[in-house]
Amino acid sequence: MEVAPGVHRLDYAIGAKPMAGYIIAGDHLTVVDTGLPNTPEEIYLPAIRSLGRSEDDVRLVVITHADADHIGGNHAARDLFRNAMFLCHHNDARWASDPAVIMAERYDGFAGYGIRYDQSVFDMLASWMGPPAPMDILIHGGERLRRSEDDWLTVVHVPGHTPGHICLYNPEERYAIIGDAIFGRSQVDTAGGWSAPPPYLSVSDYRYTIQTLESLSPDLLLTCHYPVMRGDQVREFLDASRKFVTLADELARDLVVGATGFVELETAVARANERLGPFAFPDDAQFAMLAHLNRMVDQGLAERTVNDGKVVWTKVGTK
Ligand SMILES: [Zn+2]
């Protein structure tokens, strides 16, 4: 489906997880995110052929951010799109280039807090990613990519979900391809049900990104896991994203201030599901709740300490 001049959105799903990839067609083709190992061949290639183009026309692959469902097809895409350079933000390059690194540091990065996904989740994530594949170009935001004639997309740094998340913004056509930069109140399944809480690593970065997208004020918002949004829907999604942050901040504060002892991340994740959900997969609250508890430390309201081998938080002055 062509959603803006030269911008083709490809909707598919991983089980009940809605997915959208993008092909930006102009003088050459740009692919946005590679999906899973079979996505380049099964999703992108037929779409490229239906545009009357060839896989050799793909000159650029833009990785919006390092997550299994966005980088998993990198190796396959390098084989298929032989003329393409791979581009991502400097901050996400390590995770985007090596599944073993992202697995250890992003998905299994909570052992020190006493939390690990079930093995079935690790197995699923591993199955979503192919072999390592290097990036070719590392960017910082502010760069401009030409599509065709004098039609340019601007790379905008929108961190939070990952440190190096980027979006592609077209100021003339007023659309933004934002990947997973923001999540509203929840991630959703293909039926629109709440699947998992918004996963962000930094409260201040995520807030900055909501504000950045508000100031860009795109008419058309193109994500990787939500339907196409326009006009009021864009503003509602931005408001919902900010609302979740406010509620999660209040929850972290209540947990720390109301605690008589240590606050564990596992407790915060369970409370997040009660107060901010419910979610079909509540475990992903580990990302946001860790960010909010650490923010309490930054604000001088909580202290991090270690109890029983786990990092925990206490109200300032109660340690
Ligand atoms: Zn995603």
Side-chain angles (χ1 to χ4, degrees):
M1 176 175 62
E2 187 170 12
V3 288
V7 179
H8 301 269
R9 173 173 160 124
L10 315 178
D11 282 290
Y12 61 106
I14 307 170
K17 184 179 178 67
M19 299 287 298
Y22 296 89
I23 297 170
I24 302 168
D27 296 347
H28 56 263
L29 300 179
T30 297
V31 161
V32 180
D33 290 339
T34 61
L36 272 51
N38 61 354
T39 305
E41 186 94 33
E42 292 181 9
I43 304 295
Y44 283 111
L45 188 57
I48 288 166
R49 295 261 164 84
S50 76
L51 294 173
R53 307 289 289 261
S54 151
E55 56 270 36
D56 292 341
D57 295 342
V58 179
R59 299 286 173 80
L60 193 63
V61 173
V62 173
I63 301 299
T64 60
H65 69 287
D67 239 340
D69 52 325
H70 299 259
I71 65 161
N74 284 5
H75 190 273
R78 287 200 80 102
D79 282 348
L80 188 60
F81 308 135
R82 287 160 297 188
N83 296 326
M85 303 276 267
F86 281 59
L87 172 158
C88 79
H89 192 280
H90 177 84
N91 293 352
D92 274 15
R94 288 179 64 254
W95 287 355
S97 308
D98 191 343
V101 173
I102 194 172
M103 193 67 96
E105 296 182 7
R106 179 161 171 76
Y107 304 126
D108 200 9
F110 296 86
Y113 304 93
I115 297 183
R116 289 195 82 210
Y117 282 140
D118 288 342
Q119 188 57 41
S120 60
V121 177
F122 288 119
D123 292 346
M124 179 190 74
L125 290 166
S127 77
W128 286 5
M129 294 184 282
M135 292 291 131
D136 298 302
I137 307 168
L138 303 184
I139 48 112
H140 284 91
E143 298 79 4
R144 297 175 76 208
L145 309 176
R146 196 176 66 81
R147 181 186 70 86
S148 176
E149 305 288 329
D150 201 26
D151 185 28
W152 293 77
L153 287 85
T154 302
V155 177
V156 182
H157 186 205
V158 284
H161 177 48
T162 66
H165 202 304
I166 54 172
C167 89
L168 300 178
Y169 173 60
N170 187 316
E172 297 297 323
E173 300 292 338
R174 306 204 46 73
Y175 65 81
I177 303 173
I178 68 161
D180 298 0
I182 58 172
F183 295 93
R185 282 292 302 276
S186 178
Q187 300 184 66
V188 294
D189 59 28
T190 45
W194 283 16
S195 57
Y200 46 84
L201 306 179
S202 158
V203 179
S204 55
D205 280 358
Y206 193 66
R207 280 210 167 112
Y208 164 85
T209 284
I210 295 168
Q211 199 171 335
T212 298
L213 293 174
E214 269 173 353
S215 62
L216 295 179
S217 189
D219 291 336
L220 175 64
L221 195 70
L222 300 168
T223 68
C224 288
H225 305 297
Y226 297 85
V228 171
M229 287 176 254
R230 295 174 196 275
D232 285 346
Q233 294 169 323
V234 178
R235 282 182 285 280
E236 285 163 17
F237 192 61
L238 284 159
D239 288 346
S241 300
R242 178 174 282 118
K243 180 73 177 173
F244 180 91
V245 178
T246 301
L247 293 174
D249 222 34
E250 288 170 4
L251 172 56
R253 189 173 301 247
D254 289 351
L255 283 169
V256 168
V257 172
T260 50
F262 300 117
V263 177
E264 296 189 357
L265 185 56
E266 190 172 6
T267 310
V269 168
R271 292 293 304 280
N273 193 42
E274 292 161 19
R275 261 175 61 169
L276 311 178
F279 305 101
F281 186 71
D283 292 7
D284 267 7
Q286 64 190 7
F287 295 100
M289 291 320 297
L290 176 58
H292 282 278
L293 287 166
N294 283 338
R295 180 177 151 79
M296 299 291 289
V297 177
D298 295 341
Q299 291 177 323
L301 298 169
E303 291 176 59
R304 268 167 76 108
T305 184
V306 175
N307 178 58
D308 202 14
K310 294 177 204 170
V311 174
V312 295
W313 292 262
T314 59
K315 187 162 49 180
V316 162
T318 58
K319 190 158 63 174

